[in-house]
């Protein structure tokens, strides 16, 4: 990963005035890590109201099963030893092994990971994937580290987690700041903790690996592909032709960048983009291939050229047909929601809209395809990767793509039908379906002893 001049914790504000800076500070103060965790609880309670799920299931669901914190030393390139804090939160494994990403980012916190781990439980339960929910990460800025340092942090973190992860117990995947290479280092480190005879059976300990090391075809683009399937279904249902439409995408990493690429195949052009290094507008539409190459080389979209740099505020108020937040949580609060000029928000990121932001969007008639559904393509293909590893199989791209599309259309149909029947927001519908699945498992199994 290329080094970057700025910390990602501060949303980039090119040419920000002192007013804009103090507004950003006030916003950051309001949107604490706790607020994200509370938002997930709020969504759960709203879903509880439209289902007959017993109170004790809601109460179990509001708690995480295990919260693991590991502090570990790593030798940096200059010879100094630095301590790092690593986390793994395991929310629920009633429907299957814990499953969820590993985030390497300076803002990683236990509260955020608790919220994200719970969301993984709901996502898998909604999409009928036999996994539970987990999330983890390391508080660090991978963009400021060399590849060798990143590898040592990854390996030492994996070693510190020890048997708290495993192919039948807890299966990490990539998330913000991690990628297929990081997953391969995790797999290799974990493999080396078992006897030689069992080594190859451990490949399934992580998903999102490189193809060569046991990854699945189609995994890298899966989240973005799943998101676009949702958009295509929505467009069919609303009789909106996609050709000639425009999109704004916040976050131009794995999910945002691939979403822009896939959208071009449908004739949708991305006219506004943003990431931790800045925001930019091009009414003619960005060339996603060229912008991705630039991001790869420079670590962000800043200084791309062929566009006009804009402020964060201007980005959110750019008129577009579709808005895709694909960066971090809590990006669309009341102010952003009031200024947005779009018809639909597709949540590629987890939790990008605050409850207050959602209320404003819905009151303005702006539709939301919620994260549990919209970004579930990643965990769906992760599940396919896990199955392939377990069976020593290698599926074709066509097979993965076809199964993913079927799964996404099925999920979309379920959520839209539930929302229609119960006259509730799509987010509530998604949580409610997931909650009902979990409650059925608890009803069948009972509470031990
Ligand atoms: P990534 O690390 O590849 O990209 C993250 C992007 O967010 C980068 O472009 C980065 O510059 C931008 N960003 C970071 N901080 C920002 C800030 N303060 N303001 C504006 N932009 C900022 O990560 P990714 O895998 O693309 O994940 C993006 C989102 O999608 C996350 O919320 C993640 O949880 C979610 N998600 C990812 C997957 C997956 O398969 N990768 C699956 C489901 C959900």
């Amino acid at each position: 990963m290329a080094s970057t001049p700025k910390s990602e914790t501060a949303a980039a504000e090119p040419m920000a005035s002192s007013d804009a800076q103090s507004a950003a500070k006030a916003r950051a103060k309001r949107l604490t890590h706790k607020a994200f965790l509370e938002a997930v609880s709020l969504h759960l309670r709203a879903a509880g109201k439209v289902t007959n799920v017993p109170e004790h299931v809601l109460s179990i669901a509001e708690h995480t099963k295990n919260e693991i914190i590991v502090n570990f030393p790593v030798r940096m390139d200059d010879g100094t030893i630095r301590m790092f804090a690593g986390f793994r939160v395991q929310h629920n494994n009633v429907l299957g092994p814990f499953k969820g990403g590993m985030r390497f980012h300076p803002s990683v916190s236990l509260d955020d990971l608790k919220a994200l781990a719970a969301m993984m439980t709901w996502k898998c339960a909604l999409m009928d994937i036999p996994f539970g929910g987990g999330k983890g990460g390391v508080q660090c800025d991978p963009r400021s580290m060399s590849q060798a340092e990143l590898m040592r942090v990854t390996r030492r973190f994996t070693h510190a987690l020890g048997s708290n992860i495993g192919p039948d117990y807890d299966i990490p995947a990539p998330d913000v700041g991690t990628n297929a290479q990081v997953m391969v280092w995790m797999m290799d480190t974990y493999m080396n903790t078992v006897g030689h005879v069992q080594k190859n059976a451990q490949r399934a300990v992580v998903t999102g690996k490189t193809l060569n090391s046991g990854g699945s075809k189609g995994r890298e683009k899966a989240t973005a592909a799943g998101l676009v399937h949702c958009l295509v279904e929505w467009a069919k249902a609303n009789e909106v032709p996609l050709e000639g439409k425009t999109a704004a995408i916040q976050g131009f990493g794995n999910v945002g960048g691939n979403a822009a690429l896939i959208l071009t195949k449908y004739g949708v052009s991305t006219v506004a983009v943003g990431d931790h290094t800045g925001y930019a507008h091009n009414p003619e539409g960005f060339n996603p291939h060229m912008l991705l190459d630039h991001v790869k080389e420079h670590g962000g979209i800043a200084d791309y050229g062929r566009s006009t740099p804009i402020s964060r505020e201007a980005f959110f108020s750019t008129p577009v047909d579709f808005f895709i937040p694909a960066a971090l949580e809590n990006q669309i609060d009341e102010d952003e929601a009031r200024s947005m000029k779009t018809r639909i928000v597709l949540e590629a990121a987890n939790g990008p809209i605050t409850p207050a932001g959602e209320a404003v969007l819905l009151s303005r008639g702006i539709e939301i395809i919620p994260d549990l559904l919209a970004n579930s393509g990643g965990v769906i293909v992760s599940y396919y990767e896990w199955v392939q590893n377990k069976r020593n199989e290698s599926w074709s791209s066509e097979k993965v793509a076809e199964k993913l599309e079927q799964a996404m259309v099925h999920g979309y149909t379920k959520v839209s039908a539930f929302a229609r029947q119960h006259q509730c927001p799509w987010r509530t519908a998604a949580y409610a379906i997931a909650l009902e699945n979990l409650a059925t498992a608890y009803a069948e199994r009972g509470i031990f002893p």
Side-chain angles (χ1 to χ4, degrees), residues 56-71:
H56 75 267
V57 174
L58 283 169
S59 169
I60 292 171
E62 274 182 325
H63 291 82
T64 48
K65 195 161 178 179
N66 305 310
E67 294 162 22
I68 301 146
I69 303 179
V70 290
N71 294 297

Side-chain angles (χ1 to χ4, degrees), residues 349-423:
N350 288 308
I353 308 177
T354 66
E358 176 156 358
V360 173
L361 289 178
L362 294 179
S363 74
R364 294 185 54 217
I366 297 175
E367 293 181 62
I368 299 167
I369 306 279
D371 41 18
L372 295 191
L373 170 64
N375 71 28
S376 63
V379 72
I380 290 171
V381 178
S382 271
Y383 169 58
Y384 300 160
E385 178 176 334
W386 184 79
V387 171
Q388 290 171 73
N389 290 163
K390 287 275 181 189
R391 295 185 188 163
N392 274 325
E393 289 179 359
S394 176
W395 298 355
S396 67
S397 308
E398 292 75 23
K399 177 170 173 170
V400 173
E402 195 181 316
K403 283 175 76 70
L404 173 64
E405 183 173 3
Q406 279 168 7
M408 294 306 304
V409 172
H410 182 59
Y412 183 96
T413 310
K414 269 196 306 191
V415 176
S416 86
F418 190 103
R420 211 173 24 251
Q421 189 189 342
H422 295 267
Q423 290 295 302

Side-chain angles (χ1 to χ4, degrees), residues 8 103 175 177 219 223 252-255 275-276 326-328 348-350:
E8 290 190 13
R103 182 172 288 196
D175 193 74
R219 172 60 185 91
T223 307
F252 217 75
N254 172 299
V255 184
D275 72 0
H276 71 286
L328 296 175
N350 288 308

Side-chain angles (χ1 to χ4, degrees), residues 265-420:
K265 296 188 183 146
Y266 291 87
V268 177
S269 54
T270 301
V271 296
V273 293
D275 72 0
H276 71 286
T277 64
Y279 291 87
H281 181 239
N282 178 351
E284 303 301 318
F286 287 87
N287 177 326
H289 292 283
M290 285 168 70
L291 186 53
L292 275 168
D293 285 348
H294 176 88
V295 169
K296 216 174 199 174
E297 197 179 336
H298 302 279
I301 65 156
D303 304 324
Y304 171 65
R306 291 175 282 269
S307 56
T308 312
I310 52 173
S311 67
R312 187 178 185 279
E313 289 75 17
F315 169 78
F316 278 96
S317 58
T318 304
V320 285
D321 297 297
F322 317 126
F323 194 100
I324 302 175
L328 296 175
E329 47 281 347
N330 285 344
Q331 293 300 306
I332 303 174
D333 198 23
E334 283 169 282
D335 290 349
E336 291 80 7
R338 260 186 233 111
S339 73
M340 285 166 73
K341 298 182 183 78
T342 187
R343 184 155 174 198
I344 180 166
V345 181
L346 294 118
E347 292 186 322
N350 288 308
I353 308 177
T354 66
E358 176 156 358
V360 173
L361 289 178
L362 294 179
S363 74
R364 294 185 54 217
I366 297 175
E367 293 181 62
I368 299 167
I369 306 279
D371 41 18
L372 295 191
L373 170 64
N375 71 28
S376 63
V379 72
I380 290 171
V381 178
S382 271
Y383 169 58
Y384 300 160
E385 178 176 334
W386 184 79
V387 171
Q388 290 171 73
N389 290 163
K390 287 275 181 189
R391 295 185 188 163
N392 274 325
E393 289 179 359
S394 176
W395 298 355
S396 67
S397 308
E398 292 75 23
K399 177 170 173 170
V400 173
E402 195 181 316
K403 283 175 76 70
L404 173 64
E405 183 173 3
Q406 279 168 7
M408 294 306 304
V409 172
H410 182 59
Y412 183 96
T413 310
K414 269 196 306 191
V415 176
S416 86
F418 190 103
R420 211 173 24 251

